[in-house]
Amino acid sequence: MADPTRRSENVPPDALPVSLSAPPKDAGVRLRNTALFVALVGLAAYTAADTQVSLSALVQGFPYMGRLFVAFFSPDFADIARYVPALAETIQMAVAGTLIGSLLALGYAFLAARNFVTHRGALWVTRGFMNLVRTIPDLLFAALFVAVFGIGALSGILALIFFSFGIVAKLTSETIEAADMGPAEALYAAGATPAVAAVYAVLPQILPQYLSYVLYVFEINVRVSTVLGLVGAGGIGVPLKAALNLLQYDRASAILLLVFLAVLLIEWTSQYLRRRLTEGESPAAPSQLGGVFRRFRGPIAFLGVAAALVWSFWGIDLNTKGFSVGAQMAGRILAGIFRPEWSYAPELLVALWESVEIAYLGTLLAAVLALPFGFWAARNVTPAPFAAGTKVFLSAVRTFPELMLAIVFMVGVGPGAYAGILAVGVHSIGMLAKLYGEAVEAMDMGPVEALRAAGADGLGVFRWAIFPQVLPELLSYAIYRFEINMRAATVVGVVGAGGIGAPLLFALQSHAWERAGIILLGIVVLVSLTDALSGAVRRRLV
């Protein structure tokens, strides 16, 4: 990836970058791309009609959503101190889930890496389990654990452990497969075991990236843990749900503002640390302090992780009495899940297809609308103050989870898939625009400077120097976002925004485990197919 600060020097006025003068595409490639574009537009038109997408309905709903936004933007801070403990519990849940899940994932990633496990059967099992965990959305994990262990923070922590494990294990296993195996082979030649080679030859190589993944997942978990309370899994989502149920939007607004400030602070800190880690620098600034840190980094890291774990469980009611009841309940759930209600299959397929429609249209909406925000957020093509303001705005958009946005849009357009599409789309704008901006900041500025020196206007520079460079990455990010949105589309139904979420929640709440089993099976198959398809397309793009 190119340095975003790179500039071309001594470029002749008539110079044109060679990369911009590529031969015309083959007619067959153009025909294929045109056919693909027509197919995507046709699918969008069909799904929009099937989900009753209507611009007039959205416009007519603006006054109702406007009243809701007025209430949201009139926060009641009178009792804000009451919610600080719930916010602290939310962060504790995120810390505990991230640390435990990531530590488990570190060892497991070696078992899922092709350059450490050569037996195809063992690799199929380890990678299969890892992918299975990744297919189940975080909120569904929380709903399952609430059904097993009851309401409380324990269910939320367990959900975040599994959620973190799936992401970190996949990313770390891919990093291990890309590591230089020369040092490991030297240790093998000296008689070392695979475990010794992993610890002394590969782990030092991947550790900065692994820590970057952990910080990234922690950012996600702080946001995720704010909505787990909607299904009873602890955290600040519990008082937020109570305020929304009582239509106390001014109080809900104060809670969301508190969450936004906490998320913004954590995100900025995490991004700073990740940037220092990936650049190979120690986060400690003073050289003397940095020397002490490097000398004792092992014990310091161990003590830091231990202290964070102790703090994350400090004062949290884990409801350990629920373990005995939970074990019995887990047995019933597993028995029901492995005896799925096959007669429900026709209705399941309809609900799953609606989830696909929500994810597809939501991603398409976000991919288009995030484009200007992505360029406005890039410091190398936009004035720094404007870029900084855009990033703050996008952080605010990302603070509102899909479920919160679904509640807002349901006020305007009513319950159903249309509200789910708008919720998934608006939330994805904040996420995609952030990634788009980072891609633009990392592009090679040489062609840009060359065209500017040749007298090209802003539109010409964008058309010939900027957009062709970043387009493959933008498409890759949009397709990857579709994977994520497929998971989100399976849970927005929890609040009535269409998809498979509502039937699953009803099955869990009514203890209809056979029906819950076939619904979970359908979600796993759908998400797995989506991941495989999008992964293949992204590999072709990049």
Side-chain angles (χ1 to χ4, degrees):
M1 190 170 288
D3 186 346
T5 62
R6 178 179 171 184
R7 298 289 187 273
S8 271
E9 298 179 357
N10 304 322
V11 179
D14 58 345
L16 182 67
V18 176
S19 60
L20 300 180
S21 57
K25 289 184 178 180
D26 181 74
V29 175
R30 288 200 302 268
L31 181 62
R32 184 189 64 189
N33 292 343
T34 302
L36 179 61
F37 177 77
V38 171
L40 292 176
V41 172
L43 179 60
Y46 171 78
T47 52
D50 193 43
T51 53
Q52 299 179 349
V53 170
S54 169
L55 183 59
S56 61
L58 179 61
V59 172
Q60 292 172 7
F62 276 145
Y64 304 101
M65 291 187 289
R67 296 191 198 107
L68 184 59
F69 273 111
V70 168
F72 266 117
F73 285 101
S74 304
D76 178 12
F77 294 109
D79 297 325
I80 195 69
R82 292 174 48 193
Y83 307 120
V84 173
L87 178 63
E89 183 179 77
T90 298
I91 298 174
Q92 286 176 287
M93 289 165 52
V95 170
T98 303
L99 285 178
I100 297 174
S102 299
L103 289 172
L104 293 173
L106 179 59
Y108 192 89
F110 284 93
L111 300 178
R114 294 184 179 91
N115 51 349
F116 268 86
V117 177
T118 55
H119 191 279
R120 295 185 63 181
L123 197 62
W124 185 86
V125 172
T126 55
R127 295 181 73 88
F129 175 75
M130 180 180 69
N131 292 329
L132 175 65
V133 172
R134 289 180 55 248
T135 59
I136 302 177
D138 42 63
L139 200 67
L140 296 190
F141 268 128
L144 283 169
F145 285 120
V146 166
V148 174
F149 297 106
I151 293 172
L154 175 62
S155 299
I157 291 172
L158 291 172
L160 293 176
I161 288 173
F162 276 83
F163 178 69
S164 303
F165 171 84
I167 296 178
V168 177
K170 179 180 186 296
L171 294 174
T172 307
S173 66
E174 292 174 351
T175 304
I176 292 170
E177 290 177 346
D180 179 11
M181 290 299 290
E185 290 170 0
L187 287 178
Y188 287 146
T193 63
V196 171
V199 172
Y200 291 101
V202 177
L203 185 60
Q205 295 183 57
I206 68 163
L207 192 57
Q209 278 296 111
Y210 167 75
L211 294 176
S212 177
Y213 298 148
V214 173
L215 290 170
Y216 169 69
V217 170
F218 177 60
E219 289 180 41
I220 298 175
N221 283 346
V222 172
R223 291 192 183 89
V224 167
S225 55
T226 62
V227 298
L228 295 185
L230 295 177
V231 293
I236 204 166
V238 175
L240 179 60
K241 180 184 179 183
L244 291 172
N245 288 342
L246 297 174
L247 305 182
Q248 296 173 339
Y249 298 120
D250 53 349
R251 186 167 293 181
S253 174
I255 296 173
L256 285 173
L257 183 60
L258 190 65
V259 171
F260 167 67
L261 293 175
V263 167
L264 196 63
L265 179 62
I266 290 171
E267 182 178 294
W268 285 352
T269 304
S270 173
Q271 288 177 354
Y272 167 76
L273 293 174
R274 284 195 288 127
R275 188 163 56 247
R276 298 298 294 265
L277 285 168
T278 53
E279 291 173 359
E281 301 177 24
S282 171
S287 57
Q288 185 176 2
L289 187 60
V292 173
F293 178 81
R294 283 188 292 271
R295 184 177 179 183
F296 299 102
R297 59 186 175 184
I300 290 174
F302 176 80
L303 291 175
V305 171
L309 278 174
V310 170
W311 175 80
S312 65
F313 286 99
W314 192 269
I316 289 184
D317 182 11
L318 295 179
N319 188 25
T320 52
K321 296 179 180 178
F323 275 105
S324 58
V325 178
Q328 300 174 5
M329 186 65 71
R332 297 175 194 166
I333 293 174
L334 289 175
I337 286 176
F338 285 105
R339 290 200 309 269
E341 183 184 334
W342 296 109
S343 60
Y344 186 70
E347 298 172 64
L348 173 66
L349 292 176
V350 172
L352 287 174
W353 173 246
E354 189 172 68
S355 292
V356 173
E357 293 176 318
I358 292 171
Y360 178 70
L361 288 178
T363 305
L364 189 62
L365 174 70
V368 174
L369 296 183
L371 277 173
F373 290 101
F375 287 100
W376 292 337
R379 293 168 297 177
N380 54 342
V381 297
T382 305
F386 190 81
T390 303
K391 288 179 178 179
V392 171
F393 170 75
L394 294 175
S395 294
V397 173
R398 294 195 299 272
T399 300
F400 288 87
E402 292 95 338
L403 294 183
M404 298 293 116
L405 292 170
I407 293 171
V408 172
F409 285 117
M410 283 167 56
V411 172
V413 300
Y418 189 16
I421 291 167
L422 293 172
V424 169
V426 170
H427 180 77
S428 297
I429 289 173
M431 303 302 293
L432 274 179
K434 176 179 181 290
L435 295 173
Y436 285 0
E438 292 174 353
V440 174
E441 287 180 341
M443 72 179 179
D444 182 5
M445 291 298 292
V448 176
E449 295 294 344
L451 283 182
R452 285 175 179 169
D457 58 9
L459 185 60
V461 171
F462 176 80
R463 169 66 181 85
W464 298 106
I466 297 177
F467 198 62
Q469 283 194 74
V470 299
L471 181 60
E473 275 195 89
L474 302 190
L475 291 174
S476 178
Y477 286 141
I479 295 169
Y480 176 64
R481 190 66 208 174
F482 177 64
E483 292 182 34
I484 298 173
N485 286 344
M486 184 58 71
R487 293 167 172 81
T490 62
V491 298
V492 290
V494 168
V495 294
I500 194 63
L504 178 59
L505 186 64
F506 293 152
L508 292 174
Q509 290 177 339
S510 60
H511 294 182
W513 307 125
E514 291 83 2
R515 177 164 297 186
I518 192 170
I519 293 174
L520 284 172
L521 179 62
I523 291 174
V524 167
V525 171
L526 176 62
V527 174
S528 299
L529 290 175
T530 303
D531 288 357
L533 178 62
S534 68
V537 174
R538 283 192 291 119
R539 282 192 294 272
R540 292 288 298 272
L541 287 172
V542 298

